[in-house]
Amino acid sequence: MGDIPVTVSSIKQAAEFTGLSEDTIRYYEKIGLLPYADRKASGHRTYSKHQLQGMIFLTRLKATGMTLEEMKRFRMLYEKGEASLPERVSILMEHKNRIQNEIDRLLETQKMIDYKIDNYKEVLVNPDLNNKWKSPYAD
Amino acid sequence: MGDIPVTVSSIKQAAEFTGLSEDTIRYYEKIGLLPYADRKASGHRTYSKHQLQGMIFLTRLKATGMTLEEMKRFRMLYEKGEASLPERVSILMEHKNRIQNEIDRLLETQKMIDYKIDNYKEVLVNPDLNNKWKSPYAD
DNA sequence: TCTTGACTTGGAGCGTACTCCAAGTTATAT
DNA sequence: ATATAACTTGGAGTACGCTCCAAGTCAAGA
């Protein structure tokens, strides 16, 4: 006995679930980032829970700076099956490293902003400081 | 006695120092994100250390997701002088919050990637798991 | 049956942030 | 003096990631 395809969602529901717009989902399919979706007899797209979860994962990758091209490459590897697992692992690890670098940069900038806010607050309390003492980033 | 203008850098040196391209610096000036730069008699742009530091600060804001429009607004306030200090502080604090949210999202995604990599590694060790047990994000 | 809303396709258009180019001027090294 | 590099301007073009539209089909309730 074969699997029963559990294709439950319309594109509208998929959009609600993933936070993507319907247009964006169609666009992703058009550029090959998402596989050609199953259609009902009417031609309307239909999505399984599994596919929706895959889409959510893609949105996480996108939200953390992966380009559509890289995501597409990742999906292509997935389609190739198990033999591509090591390469998929290395793509994910590389992306994780990029995320770490991004976090480091964000933390540094937060510090810089704190420093600048402190300067601003000192000037607010004692405006004379504004011209007498200029720190880096004090402008 | 007036200040001696310490305008030392060419646009090329400014580009090297800030990591922006020369074209980008000219573009920023064109859209009003950077003030109209001082020129030498020849018409060539010239930048002071102070201006270079301001540019570096802008690159930090940009690298952490601030749009050129927001940065422009920040600079406009700066031009208005001290009266705009409270508003500048609030812009910076808001941006700092956005950075924090971004950091949180990045950390979450890192966790998700770790989870997925772990699944992949289990499948690599025992390929039978690939079809028998599908976790979320396992595709 | 009729109407309203959801969906389809292909393609055009858009916002952001550059990036490149042409034609001309200025600076510098030999 | 001359060649080469650096710079100027205005404007056109590009890359990415959507977003919108027109014209038509399909679905579901009154």
Side-chain angles (χ1 to χ4, degrees), chain B residues 1-128:
Chain B
M1 29 178 162
D3 288 320
I4 297 158
V6 191
T7 53
V8 288
S9 297
S10 67
I11 193 169
K12 184 176 199 189
Q13 290 169 319
E16 269 159 26
F17 183 74
T18 62
L20 299 168
S21 73
E22 299 177 35
D23 270 329
T24 299
I25 293 172
R26 288 192 203 97
Y27 169 69
Y28 282 1
E29 185 184 305
K30 183 152 55 180
I31 65 170
L33 173 54
L34 291 174
Y36 187 80
D38 291 342
R39 315 284 157 129
K40 291 194 270 189
S42 61
H44 293 184
R45 286 171 183 81
T46 233
Y47 298 94
S48 70
K49 285 222 154 68
H50 186 71
Q51 286 170 328
L52 293 181
Q53 280 165 343
M55 285 166 69
I56 288 280
F57 185 66
L58 290 184
T59 67
R60 295 298 95 216
L61 294 180
K62 192 193 68 165
T64 52
M66 192 178 276
T67 65
L68 300 189
E69 268 315 304
E70 286 173 297
M71 287 157 64
K72 196 168 152 182
R73 180 148 166 281
F74 186 80
R75 194 184 74 79
M76 296 309 194
L77 287 169
Y78 171 62
E79 312 261 288
K80 283 193 191 161
E82 220 167 88
S84 70
L85 269 176
E87 197 171 352
R88 279 185 272 161
V89 167
S90 83
I91 287 175
L92 291 182
M93 286 177 76
E94 207 198 298
H95 187 60
K96 200 189 144 195
N97 287 339
R98 284 204 301 263
I99 289 176
Q100 189 55 56
N101 293 337
E102 175 72 6
I103 289 172
D104 294 344
R105 259 188 320 127
L106 292 170
L107 289 172
E108 256 182 54
T109 302
Q110 266 192 337
K111 265 192 232 154
M112 215 171 81
I113 289 174
D114 280 338
Y115 185 71
K116 187 148 183 155
I117 287 175
D118 285 348
N119 285 340
Y120 276 175
K121 286 195 170 148
E122 281 178 50
V123 174
L124 279 172
V125 169
N126 181 358
D128 291 349

Side-chain angles (χ1 to χ4, degrees), chain A residues 14-128:
Chain A
E16 269 160 25
F17 183 73
T18 62
L20 297 168
S21 74
E22 299 177 33
D23 270 327
T24 298
I25 292 172
R26 289 192 201 97
Y27 169 69
Y28 282 1
E29 186 184 306
K30 183 154 51 180
I31 65 170
L33 173 55
L34 291 174
Y36 187 80
D38 292 342
R39 315 283 157 129
K40 291 194 270 189
S42 61
H44 293 184
R45 287 171 182 81
T46 232
Y47 299 93
S48 70
K49 285 225 155 65
H50 186 72
Q51 287 170 326
L52 294 182
Q53 279 164 344
M55 286 167 67
I56 288 280
F57 185 65
L58 290 184
T59 66
R60 294 299 97 216
L61 294 180
K62 193 192 66 162
T64 52
M66 192 178 275
T67 65
L68 300 188
E69 267 316 303
E70 287 173 296
M71 287 156 65
K72 196 168 153 183
R73 180 147 168 280
F74 187 81
R75 193 184 74 77
M76 297 309 195
L77 288 169
Y78 171 62
E79 312 261 286
K80 283 194 190 161
E82 221 166 88
S84 70
L85 269 177
E87 198 171 351
R88 278 185 273 161
V89 168
S90 82
I91 287 176
L92 291 183
M93 285 175 75
E94 206 197 299
H95 187 59
K96 200 189 144 191
N97 287 340
R98 283 204 301 263
I99 290 176
Q100 190 55 55
N101 292 338
E102 174 72 6
I103 290 172
D104 294 344
R105 253 182 330 122
L106 292 171
L107 289 173
E108 254 181 57
T109 301
Q110 266 192 337
K111 264 192 235 153
M112 215 171 80
I113 289 174
D114 280 338
Y115 185 71
K116 187 149 179 152
I117 288 176
D118 284 349
N119 284 342
Y120 276 176
K121 286 194 172 150
E122 281 177 51
V123 175
L124 280 173
V125 169
N126 182 358
D128 290 348

